[in-house]
Amino acid sequence: MRKKIIAGNWKMNKTLEEGMGLVSEISNMLKDEYKGSAKALIIPPFIHLNALGKLMADNSKLGLGAQNCSNHKSGAYTGEVSTEMLKSVGCEYVIIGHSERREYFNEHNAWLAQKVDAALASGLTPIYCCGETLAEREGNKHFEVLETQVSEGLFHLSASDMEQVVIAYEPVWAIGTGKTASTAQAQEIHAFIRGLIAAKYGADLAQNITIQYGGSVKPENAAELFAAADIDGALVGGAALQSRSFVDIIKAMA
Ligand code: PGA
């Protein structure tokens, strides 16, 4: 069964106090207003994970995720955070290979494959991000780029590990720009990614993988995106920083 997941990636935003206020508001609004079955994830900066995890513990509609992790288990890696540490503060999910990590921190597929392994070894669900730049789309290279990102980051996995993975398709040109991929464009890529997985792991496994869309998702476009056959949720940036817009996106998922 595909899980429906709406994940709020806060990026490098919110002090602890602001974050606690936001999570309390989201939690209360979901209790009052949301009867659907989607899981909503709060993905704050590392330093807030412990406190926010405790704050949301009484709300089963909410889950906790991290924005990144180390590919190493432990040791002399100053500034890094391991998957075991994330697990120990209640994380269930970790974003791996967000385009900002790929672009500004030189994270590449081989390294991301190791992070996926580290997450799975600790019992975390990796949210593996992929997506093409504007130049790649205009050069008609998007299918090729996505195939490389998905196969190099994930296709070393056994079928039982692959079943645990969530994929987020985030066209780089739609992130934080206000430009959303049209529903048809997003659906085309989601179906393409599912096809790659079907060719490697079989149709049954491909049908059960959750593929989220990300890139300027807002309350105004969420319902249309979620109605597409292969879109199973969203990875939300800007609109996850306000309770009203984040909850309205969650409510767009039945
Ligand atoms: P955005 O970010 O919703 O602000 O476009 C999405 C993301 O980067 O995950």
Side-chain angles (χ1 to χ4, degrees), residues 92-253:
E92 296 170 273
Y93 293 81
V94 56
I95 297 176
I96 292 177
H98 189 280
S99 64
E100 288 150 17
R101 303 285 325 166
R102 291 177 185 266
E103 185 180 352
Y104 306 134
F105 303 96
N106 297 320
E107 295 198 3
H108 50 79
N109 295 328
W111 197 15
L112 299 173
Q114 293 177 14
K115 294 190 180 208
V116 170
D117 291 343
L120 290 167
S122 298
L124 296 173
T125 299
I127 300 178
Y128 181 78
C129 298
C130 54
E132 79 285 0
T133 62
L134 186 59
E136 287 161 348
R137 180 163 277 265
E138 285 175 350
N140 209 24
K141 294 224 169 356
H142 44 299
F143 292 114
E144 196 184 307
V145 167
L146 285 157
E147 181 163 3
T148 303
Q149 290 174 341
V150 171
S151 61
E152 291 186 358
L154 296 176
F155 282 2
H156 63 291
L157 296 175
S158 66
S160 60
D161 277 345
M162 186 67 184
E163 273 172 353
Q164 311 304 318
V165 172
V166 169
I167 294 175
Y169 167 57
E170 298 204 301
V172 178
W173 48 272
I175 296 178
T177 58
K179 274 191 212 165
T180 325
S182 69
T183 302
Q185 282 172 322
Q187 166 57 28
E188 181 185 38
I189 299 293
H190 283 233
F192 172 73
I193 292 171
R194 218 178 282 288
L196 294 174
I197 298 166
K200 170 80 181 167
Y201 294 97
D204 283 356
L205 194 152
Q207 275 312 313
N208 286 326
I209 293 264
T210 298
I211 309 179
Q212 304 176 310
Y213 171 78
S216 298
V217 176
K218 303 183 267 288
E220 298 74 38
N221 57 26
E224 189 187 323
L225 286 161
F226 297 161
D230 287 294
I231 299 179
D232 308 314
L235 184 50
V236 186
L241 296 174
Q242 283 186 342
S243 53
R244 184 72 271 159
S245 51
F246 189 51
V247 169
D248 282 348
I249 292 170
I250 298 163
K251 286 167 71 179
M253 179 67 94

